[in-house]
Structure formats: structure tokens, C-alpha cells
């Protein structure tokens, strides 16, 4: 049973909150690279309740500064990008990417006041289409050698989407293997072709059984959760008969991401990043172990549901996520169309701005969620004692965090433990850049 205090401890991510301090020990996605494309690479961003401005200076260096000007508080996201930094339009103070004040043009000639002013500045780094920020104190940790970070640009694609709810309930949907049999259920089987938003209509590897049938007919998965150096591994089995079992292996990447297979050749890493306590962005990196990805096509597909400039979904609470009771009666479990992203959006947002976990009744199928909450609370405790929590990595440790392995296939009922690793090994064997997976 989660108490009110524990719920607050896990969900709130302001700079003074326990989970906020924990999340600030890690790199967090803050924007897509494409958001800084165009003639004026300056963007207002909000991360864990902090208002910031992200920009590239004239040399192309990334800067991430507190958004309020230290002079009298004007909004620096309206700044002028010139003379080696970002200049406040109010009285012309100029800041470089490190937050150093370079000029105060209204102050007396020869004034050294500038030297005493420093704007809050944070490290920002780009990886395969996502700009990550480090809002913590001291040196940021190293990036692990995860597939999504070491894959060539040609084999990765990044996107994001906005959610009107706390980050934790969104993350918890990603580590809930049972929901796919219900939330994403379709009453009719379709072609086994993989399509975006229809992952659960695609064929599982090594089988002609449509995933739709499989999820519908085997709704009681056996879920095992194992601790791993990167967080948790989830092994979900749906035994089909005496010889065969459906297997799905996914991962929780501490603190706020998960890794799931999307198709035989592609995996997704998805972060749920607090914008503030009641909204979050999902950021996803798609990594292909086979062919190069068609970025334009992937982007086009996603823009059918999400609209720019804020990547907000067209179906959301304001239009009941597209809910149609007749469709629910005849075609889909939710009545919210055939795109599973909409179903998940509803599952995250309908719990309210911050899910009240004091009222839950968790069952056996919530095993992974229970394990994750324990890990989260334990990590907060370690941080408070001055110990280093999991996944705060130096360079040597980061090189050992690879993969992680994931898969979705029909395998043998006996020996599935070796089988799934083999499927993953073969898949990454096709990619010259891939490392062997943890
Ligand atoms: S408020 Fe920014 S320079 Fe005055
Ligand atoms: Fe889902």
C-alpha cells in the first residue's frame, strides 16, 4: 500500500523534492534536435518545473540557461542571438552558453559589474536526435553505451509527444505487460504487416499467429521481474500449448525510461520526462538493427496524431480521446481507434493529473510496477544517505551498460530462457555497430 507521503516522494520532481533531486542526477531529454532547426535556434523549454531557454550560439554550441534574465527577470527565450551569445531584449545584457555575462551596454563605460553576474547554465548534449540536459550539481554522469546512443544516425529516429499527467503513471504503463491483452485488443485480426501505432496487430516473430489473436486469447501472462545493472528486466510469457510459449522481454531503464521491441528489427527506448508535476513528454528513440530508417516517413506517420510546435496529440481529454461507444462494442476494446498510442494516452491521462496511489488495489500482474516503485524509493533513500544510486555512471561503468536486449517472439516452452537471448544475439549480429547486450 502506498501512503500519501510515498506517493508525493515518488512523483514530485521540483528541485527540492526527493524524486526531483534523484532525477537531477541523470541526463534528461529536454528537446528534439529538430526543434532547434530553422533560422532561429532558440527555444523556451520547461523541465521538472524549471523554465529554461535552449539555444545554439553562432558557433553552433548548445546553451541551456535559466529563462529569467538576472537583471530584472525578462524572458530570455525572446533574446537576440548575436555577438557570441543570447542577448536580453530589455536592456541588452548578453550571456554566453556557460551563463557568463559578456556585456551590459547600459552600464557606465569600464564597469566590471558584468564579472559578478552569472546566469544559471546547464550542460546539454545531443545524441541521435535528442538534446539531453543535466540539471544536477557537479559533473554529469557518462552516457551508457546503449544501442540507442551508439547506433549510427541512419539507423535511429527520435520523436516526442505531450501528456497531461505526472511522469510516473505514464512510465508505469510502459512496464505493465498485462494491459496489452485488454487496452490494445482488436476484435478482428488483420494482416500481419507491421505498422506504426499497430504494434499489437503485427505478427510476433517466428509465428503466423497474429499478435491480435495472441493477446486476446492469452490474457493471463506469467510475468517475471529481474534486477539488472540498468534497472529491471521484465520477462513475460503467454504459454500457448505444451511446446510453445509467446515471449516478450522488455526493460526498465532507470530512472525514467523503458526499452521495448517494436518489430523484428527495431527497438524503442522511451523516456517519460517531467515538464512539471502534472505534465510530461514522452521522448522515444527508435533503433533499427536491420535496414536504415526512413526518417521522413516515420515523422509523417507520427504527425498524423501529434501537432507542432508542442507535439500535442490531436486526441486527448478535450475530445474524449476520440471515444466511440459503437466502435467499442464491435471493433476495439477502448473505442478509441486503432492507434495504440491513443489507448496509452488515455490509460495515462485518465488516472488524473497525479494518480492517487493510496486508492489502488494492485494484483499479481502489477509485479513490475511494484518492483519499480521499490527501486525508486530505495534509490531516493540511497541518494539521501550520500550513496550513489543505480545508473549514475562514470565512463568505465557506462561502457558496461549495453543493449539492453529485448525481443518478442514465439519460443519453446522448455528452454525459452536461452532461446530469447539467442533471438536478440542474432538480431544484433546483423548490425556492425551493435555491442553484445546486457
Ligand atoms: S531584464 Fe534583461 S537586460 Fe534588463
Ligand atoms: Fe500500451
Amino acid at each position: 500500500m502506498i501512503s500519501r507521503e510515498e506517493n508525493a516522494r515518488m512523483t514530485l520532481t521540483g528541485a527540492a523534492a526527493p524524486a526531483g533531486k534523484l532525477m537531477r542526477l541523470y541526463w534528461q531529454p529536454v528537446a528534439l534536435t529538430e526543434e532547434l532547426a530553422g533560422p532561429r535556434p532558440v527555444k523556451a523549454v520547461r523541465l521538472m518545473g524549471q523554465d529554461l531557454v535552449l539555444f545554439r550560439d553562432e558557433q553552433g554550441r548548445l546553451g541551456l540557461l535559466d529563462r529569467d534574465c538576472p537583471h530584472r527577470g525578462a524572458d530570455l527565450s525572446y533574446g537576440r542571438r548575436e555577438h557570441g551569445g543570447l542577448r536580453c531584449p530589455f536592456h541588452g545584457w548578453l550571456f554566453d552558453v556557460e551563463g557568463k555575462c559578456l556585456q551590459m551596454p547600459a552600464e557606465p563605460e569600464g564597469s566590471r559589474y558584468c564579472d559578478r553576474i552569472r546566469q544559471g547554465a546547464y550542460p546539454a548534449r545531443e545524441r541521435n536526435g535528442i538534446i539531453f540536459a543535466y540539471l544536477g550539481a557537479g559533473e554529469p554522469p557518462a552516457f551508457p553505451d546503449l544501442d540507442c546512443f551508439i547506433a549510427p544516425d541512419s539507423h535511429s529516429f527520435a520523436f516526442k509527444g505531450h501528456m497531461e499527467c505526472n511522469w510516473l503513471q505514464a512510465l508505469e504503463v510502459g512496464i505493465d505487460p498485462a494491459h496489452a491483452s485488454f487496452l490494445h485488443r482488436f476484435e478482428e485480426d488483420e494482416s500481419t504487416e507491421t505498422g506504426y501505432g499497430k504494434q499489437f496487430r503485427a505478427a510476433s516473430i517466428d509465428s503466423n499467429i497474429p499478435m491480435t489473436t495472441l493477446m486476446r486469447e492469452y490474457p493471463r501472462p506469467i510475468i517475471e521481474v529481474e534486477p539488472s545493472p540498468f534497472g529491471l528486466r521484465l520477462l513475460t510469457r503467454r504459454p500457448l500449448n505444451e511446446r510453445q510459449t509467446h515471449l516478450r522481454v522488455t526493460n526498465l531503464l532507470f530512472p525514467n525510461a523503458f526499452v521495448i521491441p517494436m518489430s523484428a528489427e527495431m527497438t524503442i527506448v522511451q523516456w517519460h520526462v517531467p515538464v512539471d508535476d502534472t505534465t510530461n513528454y514522452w521522448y522515444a528513440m527508435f533503433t533499427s538493427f536491420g535496414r536504415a530508417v526512413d526518417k521522413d516517413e516515420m515523422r509523417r506517420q507520427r504527425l498524423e496524431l501529434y501537432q507542432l510546435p508542442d507535439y500535442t496529440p490531436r486526441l486527448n481529454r478535450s475530445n474524449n480521446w476520440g471515444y466511440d461507444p459503437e466502435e467499442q462494442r464491435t471493433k476495439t476494446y477502448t473505442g478509441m481507434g486503432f492507434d495504440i498510442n491513443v489507448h496509452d494516452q488515455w490509460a495515462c491521462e485518465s488516472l488524473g493529473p497525479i494518480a492517487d496511489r493510496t486508492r489502488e488495489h494492485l494484483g499479481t500482474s502489477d509485479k513490475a510496477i511494484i518492483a519499480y516503485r521499490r527501486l525508486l524509493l530505495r534509490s531516493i533513500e540511497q541518494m539521501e544517505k550520500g550513496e550513489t544510486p543505480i545508473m549514475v555512471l562514470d565512463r568505465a561503468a557506462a561502457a558496461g551498460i549495453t543493449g539492453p536486449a529485448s525481443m518478442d517472439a514465439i519460443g519453446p516452452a522448455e528452454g525459452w530462457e536461452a532461446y530469447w537471448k539467442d533471438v536478440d544475439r542474432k538480431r544484433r549480429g546483423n548490425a556492425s555497430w551493435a555491442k553484445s547486450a546486457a
Side-chain angles (χ1 to χ4, degrees):
M1 189 61 118
I2 297 287
S3 67
R4 191 179 301 276
E5 292 68 35
E6 279 170 328
N7 201 31
R9 201 166 156 77
M10 293 192 296
T11 52
L12 307 183
T13 60
K21 287 186 193 156
L22 181 80
M23 298 276 255
R24 281 171 177 73
L25 299 177
Y26 304 88
W27 287 102
Q28 297 290 347
V30 69
L32 294 175
T33 298
E34 67 180 41
E35 293 180 81
L36 285 193
R40 185 175 173 269
V42 181
K43 186 163 171 71
V45 292
R46 185 164 162 80
L47 180 59
M48 298 188 278
Q50 285 181 244
D51 288 318
L52 306 159
V53 55
L54 179 67
F55 69 104
R56 263 186 226 288
D57 69 9
E58 294 145 304
Q59 294 176 51
R61 293 182 304 175
L62 279 173
L64 181 63
L65 305 179
D66 283 330
R67 207 190 299 161
D68 56 330
C69 177
H71 178 214
R72 279 166 50 200
D75 185 339
L76 288 176
S77 72
Y78 293 87
R80 301 169 60 91
R81 191 173 149 267
E82 59 187 25
H83 298 109
L86 191 64
R87 189 190 296 282
C88 180
F90 203 168
H91 312 92
W93 289 20
L94 177 71
F95 305 95
D96 72 5
V97 291
E98 279 156 10
K100 224 159 75 199
C101 183
L102 304 177
Q103 292 176 8
M104 288 177 176
E107 291 303 298
E109 199 89 50
S111 158
R112 307 296 307 272
Y113 187 26
C114 221
D115 302 343
R116 307 213 308 269
I117 299 293
R118 192 98 197 190
Q119 179 66 332
Y122 309 89
R125 306 259 186 289
E126 233 168 322
R127 291 282 183 284
N128 272 342
I130 295 183
I131 298 168
F132 288 81
Y134 178 73
L135 299 192
E139 276 300 297
F143 278 87
D145 282 355
L146 298 171
D147 296 325
C148 65
F149 294 143
I150 64 172
D153 177 67
S154 55
H155 285 63
S156 58
F157 170 74
F159 203 72
K160 70 190 257 187
H162 194 253
M163 288 189 151
E164 295 280 330
C165 69
N166 181 260
W167 69 279
L168 180 59
Q169 66 214 53
L171 184 79
E172 288 179 347
V173 170
I175 53 169
D176 171 9
H179 83 270
S181 283
F182 305 95
L183 186 73
H184 305 313
R185 183 183 296 185
F186 303 101
E187 293 308 330
E188 279 167 37
D189 295 329
E190 278 218 344
S191 93
T192 53
E193 187 188 315
T194 305
Y196 174 66
K198 298 184 175 177
Q199 284 92 323
F200 289 102
R201 311 183 97 191
S204 190
I205 304 167
D206 297 341
S207 155
N208 294 322
I209 309 175
M211 198 63 172
T212 38
T213 317
L214 204 141
M215 286 293 137
R216 196 169 60 226
E217 315 258 311
Y218 301 92
R220 290 201 169 85
I222 303 168
I223 303 167
E224 289 179 37
V225 184
E226 295 174 350
S228 84
F230 51 77
L232 301 170
R233 168 153 287 147
L234 281 60
L235 303 129
T236 305
R237 273 177 300 147
R238 288 176 163 87
L240 308 180
N241 51 47
E242 279 179 7
R243 291 176 303 107
Q244 292 177 302
T245 182
H246 174 256
L247 276 164
R248 186 171 166 86
V249 179
T250 59
N251 304 281
L252 178 283
L253 199 62
F254 199 80
N256 56 328
F258 54 84
V259 184
I260 57 173
M262 171 159 163
S263 66
E265 62 179 29
M266 207 176 281
T267 56
I268 309 176
V269 181
Q270 182 158 312
W271 288 260
H272 281 282
V273 186
V275 173
D276 47 38
D277 289 334
T278 55
T279 55
N280 76 91
Y281 270 115
W282 61 260
Y283 280 85
M285 271 194 189
F286 300 77
T287 306
S288 171
F289 293 91
R291 286 163 297 179
V293 298
D294 183 345
K295 290 184 205 268
D296 291 341
E297 175 57 14
M298 290 183 80
R299 194 162 181 277
R300 192 197 59 73
Q301 287 176 353
R302 280 148 188 86
L303 287 173
E304 286 175 12
L305 179 59
Y306 297 94
Q307 34 194 355
L308 302 178
D310 296 325
Y311 301 82
T312 43
R314 294 171 209 275
L315 296 177
N316 52 51
R317 185 182 288 279
S318 74
N319 48 26
N320 298 324
W321 298 273
Y323 178 63
D324 171 0
E326 181 54 19
E327 180 200 299
Q328 187 175 44
R329 197 176 65 80
T330 53
K331 297 198 181 90
T332 63
Y333 209 74
T334 53
M336 294 175 190
F338 292 82
D339 184 337
I340 68 165
N341 296 287
V342 179
H343 311 162
D344 285 332
Q345 187 94 21
W346 170 82
C348 297
E349 293 180 340
S350 78
L351 276 50
I354 302 179
D356 180 358
R357 292 176 178 74
T358 65
R359 295 161 53 96
E360 291 174 334
H361 299 86
L362 299 186
T364 306
S365 61
D366 298 308
K367 220 183 235 178
I369 289 163
I370 295 167
Y372 172 68
R373 292 179 188 173
R374 273 200 201 117
L375 178 59
L376 177 59
L377 288 169
R378 189 168 70 233
S379 302
I380 291 174
E381 216 174 283
Q382 285 175 322
M383 171 199 68
E384 287 173 341
K385 283 197 254 170
E387 296 165 12
T388 305
I390 184 171
M391 287 295 277
V392 178
L393 306 164
D394 59 24
R395 194 50 237 158
I401 302 288
T402 58
S406 71
M407 64 80 86
D408 189 315
I410 308 284
E414 295 278 331
W416 59 269
E417 297 90 337
Y419 175 79
W420 82 259
K421 287 186 182 155
D422 211 43
V423 171
D424 180 76
R425 220 173 356 250
K426 280 194 190 127
R427 182 171 70 153
R428 63 186 57 247
N430 297 330
S432 57
W433 51 267
K435 283 184 140 193
S436 61

